[in-house]
Amino acid sequence: MRDAVIVEAVRTPVGRAKRGGAYLDVHPVDLHAHALRSLVARVPGLDPVEIDDVIGGTVAQVGEQSTNTTRLAALAAGFPESVPGVTVDRQCGSSQQALSFAAQGLVAGAYDIVVASGVESMSRVPIGSAAVVDGVRTDFAGPAVAARYPGGLVPQGVAAELIARKWGLSRTRLDEYAATSHQRAAEAWRQGRFAGQVAPLPGVDLAMDETIRPGTTVARLAELPPAFAAEHWTTRFGELDWKITAGNSSPLNDGAAALLLTTGETARRRGWRPRARVHTATVVGDDPIMMLTGIIPATAKVLARAGLTIGDIDAFEVNEAFSSVVLAWQAETGADPAKVNVDGGAIAIGHPLGASGARLATTLLHVLERTGGRYGLQTMCEAGGTANATIIERLDG
């Protein structure tokens, strides 16, 4: 029976998507290409001509990230013209979905060697760009969706506020979680835990993730104003207390990541070490107003399909779009907080949208190898109320 194993995984340091950010002058195609080149360079004896496909995730597929940006990245990386590429959009879960598609293609026999990757340059293609035409914000949902959800869909920050209210999460609790993310990420860099998974760009002065703030404290976070407060949302949803700030949300970022997958048989024949197998992958739809709670049913679904329980999982990577998202997930799943985002999460490391799923998978693989854990679960909340969940199993061989 065919399987899907991860042979190698690499990511760039994550940059700050603001004026002065390290990747401001780097085209997203070139940023993605660097991850692809770095990946291939780490696999002994791999000729890029052998790659059956490059599946890449990108959220804002406009401007410099349009026109099948993954195919362009493969060309920019110097891959032979015979190597195809395709770009997928599952919003923030785009490159996690790329990983799922890659694994499915291997198991089905459509691929023998495949890359799953992702990129986002939020400094060059700002968030929301896909919904703006000639400077005017478009109606991306259309009248039928508006009729189904009176009042329309909401920004993710408002969804995060609704989650905080529903689960009774205080501002202090949200800020405590955010501070812990920064502390864990800073400690991971101090301990050299990211060294083996990060490939800095030549000529760019960035050796580590740019948005980690080691000195972050709850007291400092408490000084930040709410980021999404507006009277019309209170009119629609009632009192929200407005607890979500820039400090307990993920920042705006640039970055890329890539994984090489093949079958166990191919890995053995080529002398490559199969580091983990993609055990089970799933995706769910959920309420598009609450939007970010899909990770709760996605986790339940992937565990059921895998025949595992939450206690069987040795490490979790849950994307920290907002503190409230992870804390609500922990409350519902009963996951041990000590096993969740042990090297920090997106609040500190950053959330380069289309690259984040591949970044989480890269981090999760390394956490399992460092700790000796067997099963790792990653899950990603996504705009529109969908969520991916993936379980990987570390292999000894």
Side-chain angles (χ1 to χ4, degrees):
M1 180 177 176
R2 292 175 65 95
D3 59 359
V5 300
I6 300 170
V7 170
E8 189 55 82
V10 66
R11 68 176 181 89
T12 66
V14 176
R16 182 179 67 249
K18 290 185 178 181
R19 183 172 296 179
Y23 299 138
L24 181 62
D25 296 325
V26 180
H27 195 288
V29 167
D30 293 338
L31 185 61
H32 195 174
H34 172 71
L36 298 179
R37 279 193 300 268
S38 300
L39 180 74
V40 170
R42 293 176 177 221
V43 183
L46 174 63
D47 186 333
V49 75
E50 301 174 278
I51 297 171
D52 292 309
D53 206 355
V54 181
I55 308 172
T58 303
V59 173
Q61 294 182 29
V62 295
E64 292 181 350
Q65 293 180 160
S66 64
T67 320
N68 194 3
T69 184
T70 302
R71 164 64 172 169
L72 297 174
L75 294 174
F79 289 8
E81 294 174 349
S82 60
V83 178
V86 63
T87 309
V88 300
D89 175 5
R90 183 81 77 178
Q91 292 296 278
C92 294
S94 295
S95 56
Q96 185 167 344
Q97 186 63 59
L99 176 61
S100 295
F101 284 156
Q104 291 160 9
L106 287 165
V107 171
Y111 300 138
D112 290 314
I113 300 173
V114 60
V115 172
S117 63
V119 70
E120 202 79 32
S121 177
M122 298 176 77
S123 27
R124 296 177 71 99
V125 187
I127 189 169
S129 295
V132 177
V133 177
D134 295 330
V136 178
R137 187 166 181 82
T138 63
D139 177 11
F140 60 86
V145 171
R148 181 170 181 177
Y149 300 98
L153 303 180
V154 304
Q156 292 192 35
V158 174
E161 291 281 4
L162 294 172
I163 292 168
R165 182 177 68 180
K166 180 175 179 178
W167 273 271
L169 301 169
S170 69
R171 169 68 184 271
T172 299
R173 184 71 188 93
L174 299 178
D175 289 347
E176 287 173 345
Y177 183 89
T180 298
S181 183
H182 283 281
Q183 292 157 9
R184 287 181 172 183
E187 182 62 19
W189 274 107
R190 279 194 294 268
Q191 296 289 335
R193 297 175 188 168
F194 289 133
Q197 60 186 270
V198 171
L201 272 72
V204 175
D205 185 19
L206 185 64
M208 63 178 289
D209 302 314
E210 198 170 14
T211 50
I212 298 172
R213 300 187 299 276
T216 299
T217 64
V218 175
R220 289 186 181 181
L221 292 175
E223 297 172 358
L224 297 175
F228 302 96
E231 185 177 347
H232 63 277
W233 297 122
T234 303
T235 300
R236 178 175 173 183
F237 295 113
E239 184 58 49
L240 287 170
D241 293 338
W242 301 115
K243 305 167 185 176
I244 305 300
T245 72
N248 54 44
S249 309
S250 57
L252 305 179
N253 298 97
D254 306 331
L259 300 95
L260 186 83
L261 290 87
T262 186
T263 65
E265 190 280 328
T266 298
R268 288 187 291 273
R269 177 166 48 83
R270 297 295 299 270
W272 299 335
R273 181 168 68 93
R275 298 168 64 179
R277 75 180 177 105
V278 180
H279 186 286
T280 309
T282 192
V283 63
V284 304
D286 200 36
D287 177 4
I289 302 298
M290 294 295 284
M291 192 187 310
L292 310 175
T293 54
I295 58 175
I296 297 168
T299 298
K301 184 175 181 179
V302 79
L303 288 171
R305 286 197 168 177
L308 299 171
T309 68
I310 200 77
D312 293 321
I313 306 300
D314 300 296
F316 300 90
E317 287 293 323
V318 182
N319 192 51
E320 293 174 355
F322 303 90
S323 291
S324 60
V325 173
V326 185
L327 291 172
W329 174 88
Q330 286 182 178
E332 292 298 312
T333 62
D336 181 354
K339 297 180 180 179
V340 179
N341 300 347
V342 298
D343 288 339
I347 288 174
I349 295 169
H351 181 17
L353 305 184
S356 286
R359 198 283 293 171
L360 262 64
T362 299
T363 299
L364 182 59
L365 173 64
H366 284 81
V367 168
L368 289 175
E369 291 181 333
R370 185 179 76 246
T371 62
R374 181 177 179 183
Y375 294 115
L377 185 155
Q378 73 173 79
T379 189
M380 176 82 67
C381 60
E382 298 149 5
T386 62
N388 284 78
T390 307
I391 293 174
I392 64 172
E393 180 182 13
R394 184 183 63 85
L395 300 174
D396 293 328

